């Protein structure tokens, strides 16, 4: 079905509409063979609070952005190659229901659908697109993904020293390796994580020691399964702690 739609006028028209909704600031989306599979609004867990985002699933990429005017205008376009994506279901917890993780080497985050049926459809379509891409390319699924970021609200004190209390003056920071919320003194060091940035990024002292001695696997294990252990935890793709709430998505 995807191959049949690839060069159809209807598909080209639909992709063109998506491009226009993002305006001049968005990246071009129309390329030969690309098919728009589906679209919809999902709730994305961000650093400060859950936010509605418009998502578009293509046969090779996942695109999302902020909703300015529903069905008419979106901004802050994000494009994620599906070849690098793995997804995991999240157990329902309180008001957070029908969710799953979207994990890639560069960024990872949690999203929630309005219904269980919608969640199932999204996950099935994403998995099918990823499987088809990997089958065609002969590549293996990615086994590396960016760290889970503990949301600000889940940490009143530094998660490493367990002493420093966070205040408007003593700000929260996130370790790019383990995702813990840490104080400034516990995260003064930086380390190059090529999958996330071309320059050294902030990491906590604990991860720095492990990375410096080559024990990267041990460092990763500190947070690899943390979402299932703490359902309230969220993922975030913030590029810098200094980003404000609007740009921290």
């Amino acid at each position: 079905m995807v191959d049949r739609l690839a060069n159809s006028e209807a598909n080209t028209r639909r992709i063109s509409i998506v491009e226009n909704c993002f305006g001049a600031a968005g990246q071009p989306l129309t390329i030969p063979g690309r098919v728009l599979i589906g679209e919809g609004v999902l709730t994305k867990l961000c650093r400060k609070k859950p936010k509605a985002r418009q998502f578009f699933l293509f046969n090779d990429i996942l695109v999302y952005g902020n909703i300015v005017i529903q069905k008419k205008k979106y901004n802050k376009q994000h494009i994620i190659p599906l070849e690098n994506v793995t997804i995991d279901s999240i157990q329902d917890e309180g008001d957070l229901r029908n969710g799953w993780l979207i994990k890639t080497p560069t960024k990872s985050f949690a999203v929630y659908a309005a219904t269980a049926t919608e969640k199932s459809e999204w996950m099935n379509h994403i998995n099918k697109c990823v499987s088809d891409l990997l089958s065609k390319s002969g590549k293996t699924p990615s086994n590396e993904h960016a760290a889970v970021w503990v949301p600000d609200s889940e940490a009143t004190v530094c998660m490493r020293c367990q002493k420093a209390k966070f205040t408007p003056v003593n700000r929260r920071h996130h370790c790019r390796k383990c995702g813990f919320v840490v104080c400034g003194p516990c995260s003064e060091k930086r380390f190059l994580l090529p999958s996330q940035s071309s320059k050294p990024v902030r990491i906590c002292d604990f991860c720095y020691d492990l990375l410096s001695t080559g024990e990267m696997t041990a460092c990763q294990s500190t947070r690899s399964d943390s979402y299932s252990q703490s359902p309230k935890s969220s993922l975030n793709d913030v590029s810098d702690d200094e980003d404000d709430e609007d740009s921290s998505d």
Side-chain angles (χ1 to χ4, degrees), residues 123-224:
M123 292 189 70
N124 287 339
H125 284 306
I126 292 174
N127 275 327
K128 179 64 164 57
C129 289
V130 173
S131 177
D132 288 347
L133 281 172
L134 294 177
S135 177
K136 291 179 180 179
S137 67
K139 297 180 180 179
T140 56
S142 175
N143 59 4
E144 179 185 4
H145 59 82
V148 172
W149 277 41
V150 176
D152 289 358
S153 60
E154 295 298 306
T156 57
V157 299
C158 175
M159 298 178 70
R160 285 304 183 195
C161 69
Q162 299 291 325
K163 296 178 181 178
K165 293 184 178 181
F166 296 120
T167 67
V169 176
N170 187 31
R171 298 176 56 250
R172 293 171 172 82
H173 300 280
H174 280 85
C175 171
R176 268 54 172 183
K177 183 60 181 176
C178 68
F180 276 17
V181 183
V182 291
C183 64
C186 284
S187 59
E188 293 179 338
K189 298 182 176 65
R190 292 179 178 270
F191 198 93
L192 181 62
L193 301 178
S195 64
Q196 295 189 37
S197 176
S198 60
K199 60 182 180 180
V201 294
R202 180 189 294 272
I203 62 174
C204 67
D205 292 346
F206 177 78
C207 287
Y208 182 84
D209 291 341
L210 290 177
L211 288 165
S212 297
T213 57
E215 299 180 35
M216 295 183 70
T217 302
C219 183
Q220 181 66 31
S221 68
T222 62
R223 288 293 293 166
S224 62

